[in-house]
Amino acid sequence: MTCAIALAGVAIAATGVRVESVAASPAVKSPGGIVPVVEFYNAGLTHYFISADPAEIAVLDGGAFGGAWVRTGRSFSAWDIAGAPADTLPVCRFFGTDRYRADGSRIGPNSHFYTADPAECAYVKVSYQAVASDGNSYPAWTYESNAFAVKALVGGACPAGTLPLYRSYNNGMRGDPGHRYSTDASVLQAMTGWVFEGLTMCVPPTDGPAVTAVGVPAGTPTSAVVGSAGGTLAAADGKLTLTIPPGALAAPTTIGIQPVSNFAPGAIGGAYRLTPDGQQFQMPITLTFAYADPDLAGTAVEALGAAFQRGEGTWEWLGDATPDPVAKTVSVSSNHFTIFSPVKGAHILPWTASVKPSGTVALQVKTCYGVDPSSGDLASLGYNCDAGQGPLNGSVVDQWSVNSTPGGGGVFGTVAGSGVTATYRAPTNEPTPNTVAVSARVKLPKGTRTFLVVSNITITEGSWSGTASGTNLDVTTTAHVVWTLESRVNNVAIYKGTGTATSTISGGVCAGGSFSPPTWPIDASISVATLTIDFNATPPTYHGSAVTEWSAGLTCLGMTAAAIGGGPWFGGGGAGNEATGVVSPDGNTIQGSALDRLSPPTSFTWSFTRNP
């Protein structure tokens, strides 16, 4: 098994990059409940992140951090940490301690990891103490919470009634360890540059209607006394308005709206407990939910509705909904009170994706709520459609298109489908613009509603990451770099480098000396950091060069003086002292070494891997 860090023989698996300023909170307490664990991806960091915390998920869905974290459309189920079955184990969530030593190095890695081993969890909470610049000692990992619960392997396999949860390791790309989890092994095995590590934990199955946790208070309640004359009441966040008509209540009643954490299948926005719980009305009341444009990712206004949670934890579609695209609301009727949520009845997976030229993306339309066979309309109970569950036959897709062209075309790619599943194939060259809309025209079996669901797919060469170093005399500058695509013209891609560079002194008169600071951001003061790949050649060829320099203090022979830290770390070989070479036959690796023509010469080595 590949590990990011080993502590006394215990494997510690780093996963994801910290979602800064979003505090982890315990999973919602609901005995025996099932919670969705949602996956996000940050293209700039090339990291995956998982969370079962509804508050954290809501912050990311709301576009925090510049919208850098985007749902992949994948998730898996886990047990609620509170009241989970006795044979489950809590999964401890840690983040690398965000403290720094006196030399400027970080005590903990910039990543999360999760472990279901109780002994490992206890050990990591206090292990690998290091002294920070404030003089205090800290462990390498900071415990954040028990994130969710899983079952352990039995004899190397998952017990009956559970699904295997697999893991893949990013092989330390960008210098940050990271893992990805999925119940679909083929997804992980297909990731270029990653190491498939196999089965790690066991989670509850997600086939059949979802049974979820019950939401707990998550906002400011509002209330009002409403009598037989009727009235209205709005939630404190303004996203739900109750309209109670005259005659619905026989006597004055205190009506309340309490926002709660939302676990509804296909949920958009927040959930609300309406009180008195179980209140019955003599005529239907109206619930009007407000939605925002991001709530329509992968779905359509015509597919929106509402659901309520039943006593056993399932969610039931509330019936016909009336959307108002101008006001951006959806209204439904009910004759009772319980927990309600606005939801989407169907969507496309993935909602968004990236693919390399000539690559493919598998698409499917999923029904989040069952279909009433008598009417052919959305009805019945909800499925965990964010995890790709739900009936495939819940809807009919009679046309797949790319940028509104049925079947697509050569410039923006093609799509070929059979019912609710299809495959998009990207063009051989990156188009302009390089994001295309792949849509499916959906019609419910016997219903009259027809709508489009859209997946936004970006065609790009993506990024490369790895290390490079240059040694001149006794100074070595090593860079941990990510090459991000800046432009592509006529199939020639130009990448710019970001990351960090570190200078060390290996010998000579200043042996044992050091630079202060020893590390500097590549993107803060570079004179050049460029990689160019010509994809017209077979295999593609590349050339590039980079140097990072900064003002530093040099400690040498017990004395400190001003100096220039850094130097060239990617170059040598061809004309102009650039690094040159050929991309590996599989198209996923750039590596080489060279000695440039300067005096004294600088020796270079480099190795970059193409990111998924």
Side-chain angles (χ1 to χ4, degrees):
M1 180 179 71
T2 303
C3 302
I5 295 177
L7 302 181
V10 178
I12 303 301
T15 173
V17 171
R18 188 178 196 182
V19 183
E20 298 294 346
S21 82
V22 179
S25 62
V28 173
K29 293 180 171 63
S30 176
I34 304 297
V35 293
V37 183
V38 178
E39 181 185 64
F40 293 85
Y41 181 66
N42 186 317
L45 298 173
T46 64
H47 266 272
Y48 292 88
F49 176 76
I50 57 173
S51 178
D53 178 2
E56 188 171 62
I57 292 169
V59 169
L60 296 182
D61 281 341
F65 318 114
W69 292 96
V70 178
R71 286 199 190 209
T72 64
R74 292 188 173 273
S75 66
F76 57 88
S77 294
W79 282 278
D80 177 4
I81 196 64
D87 58 347
T88 61
L89 296 171
V91 174
C92 298
R93 169 172 152 167
F94 290 85
F95 181 68
T97 299
D98 194 12
R99 296 278 183 171
Y100 292 83
R101 300 178 179 88
D103 63 3
S105 62
R106 183 182 169 125
I107 288 177
N110 185 26
S111 54
H112 282 91
F113 82 85
Y114 300 78
T115 177
D117 183 335
E120 183 177 68
C121 178
Y123 179 76
V124 174
K125 287 180 179 179
V126 297
S127 307
Y128 281 70
Q129 299 280 333
V131 178
S133 57
D134 62 5
N136 295 317
S137 182
Y138 299 92
W141 295 93
T142 298
Y143 170 74
E144 291 187 325
S145 68
N146 283 337
F148 46 87
V150 299
K151 290 190 177 182
L153 306 182
V154 178
C158 283
T162 64
L163 291 178
L165 184 65
Y166 302 96
R167 186 177 71 204
S168 189
Y169 173 53
N170 73 351
N171 218 16
M173 290 187 291
R174 296 188 75 252
D176 287 330
H179 282 70
R180 187 183 186 188
Y181 292 84
S182 177
T183 54
D184 188 342
S186 64
V187 170
L188 303 183
Q189 291 168 332
M191 296 177 68
T192 302
W194 287 59
V195 178
F196 180 66
E197 295 185 329
L199 178 59
T200 57
M201 307 176 196
C202 305
V203 296
T206 50
D207 289 327
V211 179
T212 78
V214 177
V216 297
T220 303
T222 56
S223 64
V225 176
V226 179
S228 59
T232 61
L233 177 65
D237 60 11
K239 295 182 179 180
L240 169 62
T241 300
L242 297 181
T243 302
I244 302 174
L249 290 168
T253 304
T254 300
I255 301 298
I257 302 176
Q258 172 63 67
V260 296
S261 46
N262 195 352
F263 293 115
I268 60 173
Y272 303 88
R273 180 183 290 277
L274 306 185
T275 58
D277 197 19
Q279 173 72 44
Q280 298 290 318
F281 295 90
Q282 299 181 31
M283 59 182 60
I285 63 171
T286 300
L287 290 72
T288 300
F289 295 95
Y291 66 86
D293 289 338
D295 295 327
L296 298 180
T299 188
V301 172
E302 297 84 351
L304 299 185
F308 65 91
Q309 190 167 30
R310 308 191 333 172
E312 76 279 13
T314 59
W315 291 77
E316 183 175 340
W317 183 262
L318 196 54
D320 289 337
T322 303
D324 185 339
V326 176
K328 295 185 178 180
T329 62
V330 58
S331 299
V332 294
S333 297
S334 177
N335 60 6
H336 73 289
F337 271 176
T338 182
I339 296 178
F340 296 87
S341 169
V343 296
K344 52 192 173 185
H347 68 183
I348 191 172
L349 289 177
W351 311 336
T352 182
S354 294
V355 65
K356 299 178 178 67
S358 300
T360 61
V361 177
L363 299 158
Q364 61 179 346
V365 175
K366 280 291 186 180
T367 301
C368 299
Y369 286 79
V371 172
D372 184 344
S374 63
S375 67
D377 210 346
L378 290 167
S380 196
L381 303 182
Y383 292 76
N384 187 4
C385 54
D386 285 343
Q389 302 298 319
L392 279 171
N393 61 352
S395 55
V396 173
V397 175
D398 62 1
Q399 187 177 92
W400 288 88
S401 302
V402 179
N403 287 355
S404 301
T405 300
V411 175
F412 293 105
T414 60
V415 63
S418 175
V420 296
T421 61
T423 299
Y424 168 75
R425 182 172 294 278
T428 55
N429 291 312
E430 183 177 319
T432 301
N434 69 335
T435 297
V436 301
V438 180
S439 62
R441 188 167 64 189
V442 180
K443 183 178 181 181
L444 299 175
K446 296 181 182 179
T448 58
R449 281 182 291 170
T450 298
F451 50 88
L452 293 179
V453 290
V454 178
S455 176
N456 291 305
I457 300 177
T458 300
I459 302 95
T460 178
E461 287 298 334
S463 62
W464 298 73
S465 61
T467 58
S469 65
T471 300
N472 185 281
L473 294 177
D474 301 311
V475 176
T476 297
T477 300
T478 301
H480 295 279
V481 60
V482 174
W483 298 102
T484 303
L485 184 69
E486 182 179 64
S487 64
R488 178 173 175 139
V489 179
N490 297 328
N491 227 16
V492 176
I494 299 176
Y495 301 81
K496 291 297 183 183
T498 58
T500 59
T502 301
S503 283
T504 58
I505 301 172
S506 57
V509 68
C510 288
S514 63
F515 291 99
S516 180
T519 301
W520 199 258
I522 292 171
D523 58 351
S525 62
I526 57 172
S527 56
V528 62
T530 302
L531 170 66
T532 300
I533 304 178
D534 185 351
F535 289 97
N536 294 299
T538 305
T541 60
Y542 68 87
H543 61 89
S545 59
V547 59
T548 301
E549 295 181 340
W550 63 91
S551 298
L554 171 61
T555 299
C556 178
L557 300 177
M559 297 180 291
T560 300
I564 298 296
W569 46 267
F570 181 48
N577 291 317
E578 287 189 315
T580 61
V582 176
V583 179
S584 64
D586 65 3
N588 296 321
T589 304
I590 291 174
Q591 61 183 6
S593 61
L595 190 68
D596 72 12
R597 302 172 182 177
L598 302 177
S599 181
T602 301
S603 61
F604 297 93
T605 60
W606 58 87
S607 179
F608 309 126
T609 302
R610 194 177 195 172
N611 297 322

